[in-house]
Structures are given as C-alpha cells and as structure tokens.
Amino acid sequence: MAGGGAEPLPALVNPCVYIARMPEDQPETLLPDDNGLARAAVLLGQGHVLALPTETVYGLAADARSDMACARVFRAKGRPRFNPLIVHLQDIAGAEALAEVCSTARDLARAFWPGPLTLVLPLKAGHGLSPLATAGLDTVAIRVPSHPVARAVLALFGGPVVAPSANPFGRVSPTTADHVRQGLGGAPAAILDAGPCAVGLESTILAPGLSGIRLLREGGLPSEVVEAMTGPLIPDTAPGTVQAPGQLAGHYAPAVPVVMDSDLSEHAAVRIGFTADQAADLHLSQSGNLAEAAARLFDVLHRAESLALARNEPAIHVAPVPKTGLGRAINDRLRRAAAMRH
Ligand code: AMP
Ligand code: MG
C-alpha cells in the first residue's frame, strides 16, 4: 500500500509527510467503524486523497491546507485547475475562522447546515488554505456536511477538507463506493464505504452579497426551500468568471451519448423513464418521488451506461422530470449529460 518511491515528488511537497503510492496500488476499503474512521483521518494527515461518503455524493477528500494534497485531487480527477474546490468543515465556527460570514450567510448556515448547501464567502486574511483549493480567488466555497461518517472524519482530522465528487472530471458522479472504484481505480489511497448517498445530487451553491443572494448551482437543497426564508434568489448559473465544472455545458456524462426524450419513443437505445407509467429499461422513481429520483439518478446513469455497452446500444434516452423542487437540479444534470460531445 503506501510506501516505496516510484512517484516523483511534486515541488511543493513536504518530504516529512509525503508517502508515495505505487501506480498499481488499489485503494484500501475502510469500514465506517472506529478503525476505519481513524485510518481515514491518518491518511488525510499524511497528504493522501481518499473517497468518503457525504449525503450528496462520494467526495475525493484531502487536506485543504496542503498544496500537495490538493494537487493530488486535481490529478486523480483530471480536473482543470481553474476550478475551485469546496472546503468541508464541521460547523459555522469553522467557517468564521476562514471567511467573512455576513448576517445573511449566518442565517442561511443556521437554517441549512449541516446539509447540502455550499456558501461562497470572502476569505479572511491568514486563512491558511491552499491556493489550489480556492483557485487563487479571494472567496472560498464552504459546506458543512450532515453525513455522520463525513462528520466523524472531519472531527478526527480536525482541519478543513476539500471533497469534490470522486469521479473522473466530466463523468457521472459517484453515489456508491463501487462507482468510485469503477471510475478512479487506484487513484485514492482508500475508500470509506458507508453505502449509498441519501441525497444523491451535489450541493446547492449560494453566494450572499450586497445586492442579494446569487444561486450559482441548483442542487440537493431545492431553491424554493431557501426562497421561502430569504425571498427570491438571483439566478447566476451560466458559466462566468468561475467556470464551475458542474456549470460546464458537458458534464455528468456516461461513456454513451445521452438524449433527453420526453416520450421515450426511440427503441434502439437504453431508456430511462421517470415513473412506472413510462415503458423503459430503468426508472428514476416508480412512484414519481423526486427525492427518490435524485438519490437514484447517478446510479441509474451508471447502470444505463453498463447496459448500453453490454447491449451495444448507441445511446441512452432519458425522460425529463417535473421542473419543481429537486426536479430542476435533476433536469440540470440530465441536460449537461446530454450536452457532452462524444
Ligand atoms: P464540486 O465540483 O461539487 O466540488 O463544486 C465545486 C464548485 O463550487 C466549483 O466548480 C464552483 O462552482 C463552486 N465554487 C467553489 N469555490 C468557489 C468560489 N470561490 N466562487 C464561486 N464558486 C465557487
Ligand atoms: Mg463533480
């Protein structure tokens, strides 16, 4: 496992903590028991990356203060470096140590943390984060996850952790440990396996500011739920200064082309329906429940990809879901999967 010296040392590495992984190493599988959680915290402290469950998707976790650990996340995912990462913390107090938390941000954090909400906030001087985590911006994206395993690892590690989705850049996000193994092979030092993720969609990203609260990404916290508390959000989901990976037109994509198709009329394809009423190979939710559809979305896309490859079908056709609540984030992911050029 860890040990040996085949991998060249990146320039920024502190040799005291760097332990090289051999290319043929497979990730350790860790269980969410005392031993597994302790091992995860040790690996993070040694500058390794490991896959860990959150309530949204499995994240590729690393020490947010370490250039070397963050660089390894970008390398494992093949993710462009202009994309900042989300910093995961235990609580609001942790956020206040790194960033300016205005009263709007504090209200949002009190209402929705821990949970699938990320806040983009101005960095404080002396924050100590790697510039790779923030892509050199003067803001930082912060989330306090609710998954008990993610929380336990954060508590044991005691520092900020970046954790973008544990999949190759541009591909379908992982909601099980198997998805991570299939996508990333031996890249993570370990995978902490705690079963499927409950929410199944990435976090909703908000940027509170003087002119209102901008909605940067639809996600696992439906925007209506936020708006019931704050009033209307300012939609800002088009790619801008920060080219969010999840905002790129082609993203979340299986290896087989995806087509949005409301009547699933194409039979020479793997078909994904929303409810049991639609004739299809796979369904997001038999009963039409959007929370279930969100939790199953990425697993169904992974299954559709395997089916299409096994049956030699040229495409995956998927019906859109209703445009309310989590449905907007689901349709957003499907549209981006369909926009990928193969
Ligand atoms: P994920 O890929 O789920 O880890 O989400 C990372 C996304 O968070 C980025 O692609 C951006 O959309 C967003 N993000 C992170 N940091 C910032 C920031 N400082 N300003 C704006 N958006 C950010
Ligand atoms: Mg992702």
Side-chain angles (χ1 to χ4, degrees), residues 1-9 17-22 25 48 72:
M1 217 20 77
E7 217 174 350
L9 289 179
V17 294
Y18 185 77
I19 299 175
R21 281 175 54 71
M22 305 295 277
D25 283 348
H48 285 292
R72 290 166 74 102

Side-chain angles (χ1 to χ4, degrees), residues 57 77 79 83-86 88 118 120-121 133-134 137-142 163-165 202-203 205 207 214 216-217 242-247 251-252:
V57 302
K77 282 183 62 78
R79 177 169 165 140
N83 283 318
L85 303 172
I86 295 175
H88 292 66
T118 294
V120 174
L121 303 170
T134 57
L137 298 168
D138 55 6
T139 51
V140 57
I142 297 180
S165 54
E202 293 80 358
S203 58
I205 306 183
R214 288 181 300 131
L216 300 184
R217 177 173 76 186
V242 175
Q243 292 274 319
Q247 288 173 245
H251 204 72
Y252 308 109

Side-chain angles (χ1 to χ4, degrees), residues 24-90:
E24 68 276 13
D25 283 348
Q26 285 305 304
E28 290 174 47
T29 297
L30 304 177
L31 298 176
D33 54 18
D34 287 351
N35 286 340
L37 297 171
R39 175 82 182 134
V42 166
L43 287 170
L44 286 176
Q46 290 175 336
H48 285 292
V49 301
L50 65 114
L52 102 184
T54 80
E55 70 278 20
T56 59
V57 302
Y58 272 72
L60 197 57
D63 184 345
R65 299 160 302 193
S66 159
D67 293 327
M68 180 271 292
C70 291
R72 290 166 74 102
V73 169
F74 283 92
R75 189 171 59 193
K77 282 183 62 78
R79 177 169 165 140
R81 295 214 178 181
F82 56 79
N83 283 318
L85 303 172
I86 295 175
V87 174
H88 292 66
L89 300 170
Q90 282 181 77

